[in-house]
Structure formats: structure tokens, C-alpha cells
Amino acid sequence: MKRILILLAITLLTISGYAQISGQKKLDSLLTAIKTEKEDTSKVYTLIEISHSYWDYSPDKAMDYANQSLTLSKQIGYKKGIGYAYISLGAINDIKVVPALEFFKKALTIFEEIGDKKGIASTYCAIGHFYWMQGNSPEGLKNFFIALKGSEEIGDKLQMAEIYNDIGLTYLQQGNYVEA
């Protein structure tokens, strides 16, 4: 069992290193693109992607880009953008250990209002992360499974894979190796 965990850790570290290099290239591309984009939904998504890119190592920059996406979304009346901006703001506040649940609830309300199933699933996943980070694994798992069900309904295999990873890591943290 120890051998499997060591191999898993090495694999995750290798993937993480590659993801950082790949992520920096993507961020550079997004920062270049944002300079010439029109004030429309495309720019909203670019701002959100830039915010996501900064989550782990520069929460203040992430917050700035999330707020820009929220402001632009409100200006152009783009509810889906408002919802994703709230997810980003919630995640950033979660990282900064500020209670973020209110942002996730706002996002969930908007996505339910407009019937955006991917947004709903993404929000439940974010809520799962929030609870998991707070040490409430049962509540985190409950929300991960709701997110998984929503992702399965729309056939979003990438999101399903990410959620399965979250579920596995939660079980691993609990010491439940069979479920992990």
C-alpha cells in the first residue's frame, strides 16, 4: 500500500510540474489577448480564466481579475458571467480563509435561475472544495457527488474526471483507501 501511495505522489508531482509550465504559457496568452478584446462575453471568460490562473499563487491578482469580470458581466447584463465571477470570488476568498459560501450561493442562485447545468455542477464542486478545506469532508463529499451527478447528466467528462479526483483525494485524506 505504501508503494502505491508513493507512486501516486510521484505521479501527482510530475503532473503538477508540467501543469505549472503549461499554465504559465496559457496565462501569458490570456494576458496578451485581454488587451485587444471587446467588452463582451468573450472578455468576461478571459478575465475569469486569468483569475483562475492566479488563484494559487497571487490571490490579490486573482481577486482583481474576478472583480473585473463581475463588473463587466453586470455592465453587459451577462448572468452566466456573473455566476462564474462569483465562483471565482468564492474560491479566492476560500483560499484566503475568508468565508466564501455566500459567493457560491449567489452563483448557484444565478445558474439555477438561467438553467445552466454546467454552472450548477461547477458551483456544487466549488462548495465541496469549500467544505473540504474547512475540514468538513462529509459535507464536501455530499456536494462533490451532487456536482458529479450534474456533470454526468450533461456528459461533461472533463469535469467528471476532476470531480472523481476531488472525491478520491477526500477519501484518501480520510484514510479510506478502498473508496479512494
Side-chain angles (χ1 to χ4, degrees), residues 4 6 20 37 43 53 78 102 113 116 128 152 161 169:
I4 292 172
I6 291 170
Q20 285 179 340
E37 286 188 330
K43 187 169 186 173
S53 297
Y78 187 49
E102 70 181 68
E113 179 182 304
D116 185 332
E152 289 172 341
L169 289 173

Side-chain angles (χ1 to χ4, degrees), residues 66-87:
N67 279 319
Q68 286 181 47
S69 68
L70 179 61
T71 299
L72 178 57
S73 293
K74 286 180 177 180
Q75 286 174 353
I76 63 175
Y78 187 49
K79 287 191 172 190
K80 191 180 228 184
I82 294 170
Y84 280 111
Y86 281 137
I87 288 177

Side-chain angles (χ1 to χ4, degrees), residues 30-44:
L30 291 169
L31 289 170
T32 300
I34 197 75
K35 294 175 185 175
T36 58
E37 286 188 330
K38 295 179 184 177
E39 301 285 309
D40 61 9
T41 58
S42 177
K43 187 169 186 173
V44 168

Side-chain angles (χ1 to χ4, degrees), residues 124-173:
Y124 275 112
C125 187
I127 293 169
H129 279 273
F130 170 80
Y131 282 115
W132 183 68
M133 295 294 289
Q134 299 297 316
N136 188 344
S137 295
E139 194 65 28
L141 284 169
K142 177 180 130 187
N143 284 279
F144 288 144
F145 281 113
I146 293 170
L148 180 62
K149 182 179 178 193
S151 296
E152 289 172 341
E153 286 176 6
I154 61 173
D156 189 337
K157 292 184 180 184
L158 178 60
Q159 190 168 34
M160 288 167 53
E162 291 170 352
I163 295 166
Y164 276 123
N165 184 59
D166 293 333
I167 291 168
L169 289 173
T170 303
Y171 281 134
L172 185 66
Q173 182 187 39

